[in-house]
């Protein structure tokens, strides 16, 4: 769950743009002295005072001060280090900039020390860290040779290369055809056993192993897959079997090129399974589901949701409306493109409490963020479902993009 939110936050941050070169990214690795970082920031503050553009100068200096304030809260760098993003972000066209600050405690130790002031936030180092958590095993096999490799994030390592020693299909003259065939079959089995042994030895100790991709030219890979050569735990992790033109390093590269496509395919399979669970409950009228924003929110607040299903690209903003005079506050959900219109509609509208025409939007966030936070309080699983499968389309079109599988039957169903 935390990883999910972090991914989401980083995606959002990566898309933010400053008006000029005025967004600060700071990476502090574990073990780094906070006092050293503070002194770097003081230098940067000094340098920033020379910036010609008044607005940019003010924004950069403001951002640095905020970063210093946040950093002061730490006596030393946390266990995994910390990352701060801070800068003036236009909220609604030019002139509407507001300073936003994000402090992120990475799930794993970061290895770089970096201060950067740019037109964007430098989120890529954290994003890479998240990707690195998953490892895929690659086994390429045909009747002449095999290659075993691991892919961790973007790091590809060819761990072992084997030659088969299996003679070709055509026998030398003078041998009995059947005897030759039996001999060849035996050599092939020995070879498969050898490949399986190496793969087991390499893959079994990797606890971040997410899946195995089997590849190679021709049908040999299917024979290898059918037999009992791979440990059963690894066998169950085979996520795809694909054709490549080559079996050695070149073949591994072919697999890596196809990797994003393979990962997407896996994710779609997962999404379908999740949605089928939901649709089963719907079809059997078990009372164990609910859908629609309001209903799901109520169930979430009551701690009744086991799994929250949200359509990807659900463009709904949760806005906070506040009265500047009496402090009256309410929350509303507004479709993304309607937010500006909604803000305009507040002008002249009177506050339900004090009757003054002083209502305004003071804050807004993505509905997904809002729900994700609610889900976190109640230990609820969150799944973002793409529109790439038929089931995903159904979630979006028939259930409003917001649905839940419940822990127990809801009282008000
Ligand atoms: Zn009021």
């Amino acid at each position: 769950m935390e990883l999910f939110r972090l991914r989401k936050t980083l995606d959002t941050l990566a898309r933010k743009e400053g008006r000029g070169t005025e967004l600060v990214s700071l990476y502090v690795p574990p073990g780094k002295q906070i006092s050293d970082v503070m002194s770097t920031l003081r230098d940067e503050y000094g340098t920033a005072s020379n910036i010609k553009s008044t607005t940019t100068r003010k924004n950069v200096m403001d951002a640095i001060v905020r970063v210093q304030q946040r950093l002061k809260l730490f006596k030393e760098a946390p266990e995994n280090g910390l990352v701060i993003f801070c800068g003036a972000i236009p909220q609604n066209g030019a002139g509407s900039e507001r300073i936003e600050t994000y402090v992120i405690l990475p799930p794993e130790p970061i290895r770089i020390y970096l201060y950067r002031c740019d037109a964007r936030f430098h989120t890529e180092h954290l994003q890479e860290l998240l990707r690195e958590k998953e490892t895929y095993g690659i086994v390429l096999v045909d009747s002449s040779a095999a290659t075993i490799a691991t892919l961790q994030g973007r790091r590809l390592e060819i761990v072992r290369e084997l030659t088969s020693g299996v003679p070709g299909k055509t026998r030398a003259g003078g041998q009995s055809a059947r005897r030759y065939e039996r001999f060849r079959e035996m050599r092939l089995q020995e070879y498969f056993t050898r490949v399986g042994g190496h793969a087991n030895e390499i893959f079994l100790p990797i606890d971040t192993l997410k899946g195995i991709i089997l590849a190679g030219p021709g049908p040999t890979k299917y024979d290898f897959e059918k037999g009992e050569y791979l440990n059963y735990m690894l066998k169950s992790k085979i996520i795809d079997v694909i054709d490549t033109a080559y079996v050695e390093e070149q073949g591994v590269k072919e697999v890596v090129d196809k990797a994003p496509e393979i990962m997407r395919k896996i994710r779609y399979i997962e999404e379908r399974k999740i949605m089928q669970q939901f649709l089963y409950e719907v079809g059997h009228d078990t009372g164990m589901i609910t859908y629609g924003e309001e209903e799901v929110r109520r169930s979430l607040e009551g701690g009744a949701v086991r799994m929250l299903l949200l359509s990807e690209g659900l463009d709904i903003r949760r806005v906070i409306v506040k009265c500047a005079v009496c402090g009256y506050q309410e929350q509303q959900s507004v479709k993304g493109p309607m937010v500006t219109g909604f803000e305009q509609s507040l002008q002249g509208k009177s506050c339900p409490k004090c009757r003054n025409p002083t209502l305004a939007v003071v804050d807004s966030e993505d509905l997904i963020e809002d729900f994700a936070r609610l889900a976190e309080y109640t230990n609820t699983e969150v799944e973002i479902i793409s529109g790439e499968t038929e089931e995903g389309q159904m979630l979006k079109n028939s259930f409003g993009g917001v649905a839940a599988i419940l822990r127990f039957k809801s009282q008000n169903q």
Side-chain angles (χ1 to χ4, degrees):
M1 183 56 217
E2 261 172 39
L3 280 182
F4 157 77
R5 280 195 70 190
L6 181 53
R7 271 201 188 99
K8 189 88 200 353
T9 308
L10 291 176
D11 283 349
T12 315
L13 287 178
R15 268 183 269 123
K16 290 189 191 277
E17 272 175 38
R19 221 185 35 95
T21 309
E22 51 191 49
L23 304 187
V24 170
S25 307
L26 178 73
Y27 283 67
V28 183
K32 181 83 189 167
Q33 294 294 323
I34 296 288
S35 53
D36 287 354
V37 186
M38 284 302 229
S39 100
T40 304
L41 290 172
R42 270 194 300 277
D43 292 347
E44 293 293 342
Y45 189 86
T47 312
S49 65
N50 300 321
I51 297 172
K52 290 216 168 60
S53 150
T54 331
T55 321
T56 306
R57 180 171 64 233
K58 184 184 176 299
N59 284 344
V60 173
M61 292 172 89
D62 279 356
I64 294 176
V65 170
R66 302 262 182 136
V67 172
Q68 286 172 323
Q69 286 168 348
R70 292 304 183 99
L71 206 55
K72 254 186 247 164
L73 304 173
F74 295 88
K75 277 200 198 75
E76 55 184 24
E79 197 181 356
N80 293 334
L82 88 154
V83 182
I84 303 177
F85 299 109
C86 182
I89 305 289
Q91 306 292 317
N92 206 351
S96 64
E97 290 84 12
R98 194 164 62 200
I99 299 253
E100 297 182 12
T101 313
Y102 301 85
V103 179
I104 292 168
L105 299 176
E108 272 182 41
I110 51 171
R111 283 168 240 120
I112 54 159
Y113 174 48
L114 173 112
Y115 170 90
R116 195 59 58 84
C117 186
D118 206 337
R120 63 178 182 93
F121 289 128
H122 285 257
T123 54
E124 61 274 14
H125 306 286
L126 272 175
Q127 281 172 316
E128 210 166 297
L129 194 76
L130 291 181
R131 266 201 299 276
E132 273 177 19
K133 288 179 73 76
E134 290 171 353
T135 306
Y136 290 88
I138 300 170
V139 180
L140 278 135
V141 59
D142 77 354
S143 59
S144 67
T147 306
I148 302 171
T150 55
L151 179 65
Q152 191 182 15
R154 269 182 292 173
R155 211 165 54 238
L156 176 68
E157 192 189 347
I158 294 176
V159 189
R160 210 146 301 168
E161 291 181 287
L162 309 149
T163 44
S164 75
V166 176
K169 273 200 164 138
T170 41
R171 68 197 160 102
Q175 284 173 285
S176 132
R178 268 190 63 202
R179 252 181 72 188
Y180 182 78
E181 188 46 47
R182 261 208 315 274
F183 168 70
R184 188 173 181 276
E185 189 53 39
M186 208 178 70
R187 292 295 293 268
L188 201 57
Q189 290 216 4
E190 278 170 14
Y191 162 60
F192 282 167
T193 308
R194 206 148 43 90
V195 176
H198 283 292
N200 294 342
E201 186 192 314
I202 292 162
F203 296 145
L204 280 173
I206 303 176
D207 47 7
T208 54
L209 191 77
K210 190 91 196 289
I212 292 174
I213 300 153
L214 203 55
T220 312
K221 55 184 177 292
Y222 297 107
D223 296 334
F224 178 75
E225 187 195 12
K226 268 180 247 149
E228 302 294 315
Y229 307 107
L230 272 183
N231 177 291
Y232 72 97
M233 283 196 290
L234 296 179
K235 225 175 147 178
S236 70
K237 283 193 173 171
I238 295 178
I239 46 181
D240 213 348
V241 182
I242 62 170
D243 276 313
T244 57
Y246 300 92
V247 73
E248 279 137 350
E249 197 180 334
Q250 196 63 27
V252 176
K253 296 225 171 85
E254 286 179 63
V255 175
V256 174
D257 286 344
K258 288 182 186 166
E261 200 183 306
I262 298 169
M263 311 302 160
R264 267 201 302 278
K265 217 155 88 184
I266 301 162
R267 179 58 197 160
Y268 297 156
I269 295 170
E270 281 173 3
E271 288 179 4
R272 290 188 94 124
K273 277 193 195 146
I274 294 164
M275 277 308 292
Q276 277 157 7
Q277 272 183 59
F278 172 77
L279 294 170
Y280 174 89
E281 305 288 346
V282 174
H284 290 76
D285 203 14
T286 57
M288 294 292 283
I289 58 108
T290 185
Y291 59 91
E293 194 196 323
E294 282 318 305
E295 290 76 7
V296 170
R297 182 182 299 279
R298 220 175 305 130
S299 299
L300 257 181
E301 285 167 348
V305 178
R306 180 164 69 79
M307 195 189 280
L308 177 61
L309 310 175
L310 300 168
S311 284
E312 190 176 61
L314 191 71
D315 190 14
I316 298 177
R317 304 288 299 176
R318 189 75 180 161
V319 298
I320 298 176
V321 176
K322 201 173 171 184
C323 169
V325 172
C326 73
Y328 166 83
Q329 198 171 306
E330 66 178 31
Q331 291 192 12
Q332 280 194 44
S333 296
V334 183
K335 285 207 173 103
M338 316 287 280
V339 172
T340 313
F342 175 78
E343 282 186 274
Q344 282 161 0
S345 78
L346 289 176
Q347 284 165 14
K349 201 177 162 194
S350 55
C351 165
K353 205 172 154 197
C354 71
R355 299 286 150 203
N356 285 301
T358 42
L359 292 174
V361 171
V362 290
D363 204 356
S364 82
E365 68 176 341
D366 211 89
L367 182 73
I368 293 186
E369 274 300 301
D370 177 41
F371 269 0
R373 200 180 37 249
L374 271 173
E376 203 170 29
Y377 290 142
T378 50
N379 231 339
T380 300
E381 256 179 89
V382 181
E383 296 287 352
I384 306 291
I385 309 287
S386 73
E388 299 295 327
T389 65
E390 204 182 311
E391 289 86 346
Q393 281 295 328
M394 245 165 136
L395 176 64
K396 203 169 170 187
N397 301 329
S398 311
F399 298 98
V402 182
I405 301 178
L406 303 175
R407 293 184 216 269
F408 40 82
K409 270 192 198 182
S410 171
Q411 297 298 315
N412 42 27
Q413 294 279 308

